[in-house]
Amino acid sequence: ETESKTINKEKDESTDNHQKRERSRSKSPVPEGGGGSGTEDKKHKTKRRKIEIVDDEANASDSDDEAKKVERNKQMLANKRKLLKAIEAIIKVKWAKSMKPAVENFKQMGFENGNPFAVPLVPGCGWVPEEYFEKIKQPIDLLTIKENVESFHTNDLESFEADVWRVISNSKQWSKHVDDSLRVLRIAQEKNIQKNLAELRKEWGVEE
């Protein structure tokens, strides 16, 4: 019986010692770099670094786009100033004294500066007969060109020149059906356009 008690006591002590070792082991920190959890941590860190790199690249791209947008806006404003200066000079043509009767006639009709090319040409405007729009398929006038420049609809030299010269070509086509006064003013306006476009091209940096 004494031996049995001794054996049981030793078993209990052995069990207690085993449980203490297990508890101690569970509390022990995992060695750095050891075990599966360390590998998972490395994967997560790598993933975070990749996300940070992608975010940095996206931010850099956004910054570049914004800088390009600002530069583009500056260029458009600079173009607008040059084109407005040119179209205003074209509208305010200096007529020769010999043209005074024709100019006064157009002024009384409501044309700015007596300039028949500086009035909106739309059906029903009252300035020109409806027949005009049957013969002229692409009507254009200097005031409409100015409005297009102000609204940035026209912002490059090539489009601007094409519109201005279309005013003259339309006038030549229509002049076949009207009196000499319009033809005389058209010739003066054409010379004024040539002069101002030459100055604009020089300011634009375009060689003749």
Side-chain angles (χ1 to χ4, degrees):
E1 185 177 350
T2 302
E3 288 180 358
S4 176
K5 288 181 179 180
T6 302
I7 291 171
N8 289 335
K9 184 177 180 181
E10 289 177 351
K11 284 183 178 180
D12 291 339
E13 289 177 351
S14 176
T15 300
D16 289 342
N17 290 335
H18 177 73
Q19 291 176 347
K20 287 179 181 179
R21 284 195 300 273
E22 287 298 322
R23 284 196 297 270
S24 176
R25 186 178 295 113
S26 66
K27 293 180 181 179
S28 299
V30 177
E32 185 177 352
S37 61
T39 303
E40 291 299 319
D41 285 345
K42 285 184 177 180
K43 289 181 179 179
H44 287 307
K45 288 179 180 179
T46 302
K47 187 175 181 179
R48 283 197 298 271
R49 282 197 297 271
K50 287 181 179 179
I51 292 173
E52 289 171 358
I53 291 171
V54 170
D55 288 343
D56 288 343
E57 290 175 348
N59 291 335
S61 178
D62 290 343
S63 179
D64 289 344
D65 290 343
E66 187 63 27
K68 289 178 181 178
K69 183 178 179 181
V70 169
E71 188 60 33
R72 184 169 61 251
N73 288 343
K74 286 182 179 179
Q75 186 61 56
M76 289 179 69
L77 285 170
N79 290 353
K80 177 181 176 179
R81 285 192 292 270
K82 293 174 185 177
L83 296 176
L84 277 179
K85 178 183 175 182
I87 193 61
E88 287 171 357
I90 289 171
I91 290 172
K92 296 177 180 178
V93 57
K94 293 181 179 179
W95 306 111
K97 290 181 178 181
S98 60
M99 301 176 186
K100 187 174 180 180
V103 172
E104 288 300 322
N105 181 46
F106 283 111
K107 279 185 178 180
Q108 290 176 9
M109 293 171 62
F111 289 83
E112 183 178 345
N113 194 35
N115 191 339
F117 310 106
V119 63
L121 295 175
V122 293
C125 65
W127 306 115
V128 291
E130 292 301 314
E131 184 186 1
Y132 179 88
F133 301 100
E134 295 175 3
K135 297 185 179 298
I136 307 301
K137 301 304 181 183
Q138 291 184 303
I140 189 72
D141 58 86
L142 299 178
L143 283 187
T144 297
I145 294 173
K146 182 179 178 181
E147 290 173 0
N148 288 343
V149 170
E150 289 174 335
S151 64
F152 293 97
H153 182 74
T154 300
N155 194 252
D156 63 279
L157 179 62
E158 185 177 355
S159 299
F160 180 80
E161 287 185 318
D163 284 346
V164 170
W165 284 123
R166 185 149 54 92
V167 172
I168 297 301
S169 63
N170 285 351
S171 175
K172 287 180 178 179
Q173 185 177 348
W174 179 246
S175 291
K176 299 173 184 178
H177 309 278
V178 296
D179 58 29
D180 289 339
S181 62
L182 183 62
R183 283 194 288 271
V184 169
L185 296 185
R186 187 201 70 233
I187 292 171
Q189 182 67 86
E190 187 171 359
K191 290 180 179 178
N192 184 46
I193 287 174
Q194 289 174 337
K195 173 179 174 292
N196 283 285
L197 286 185
E199 292 176 0
L200 177 62
R201 290 173 68 84
K202 185 176 180 180
E203 187 176 0
W204 213 278
V206 177
E207 295 182 1
E208 294 292 334

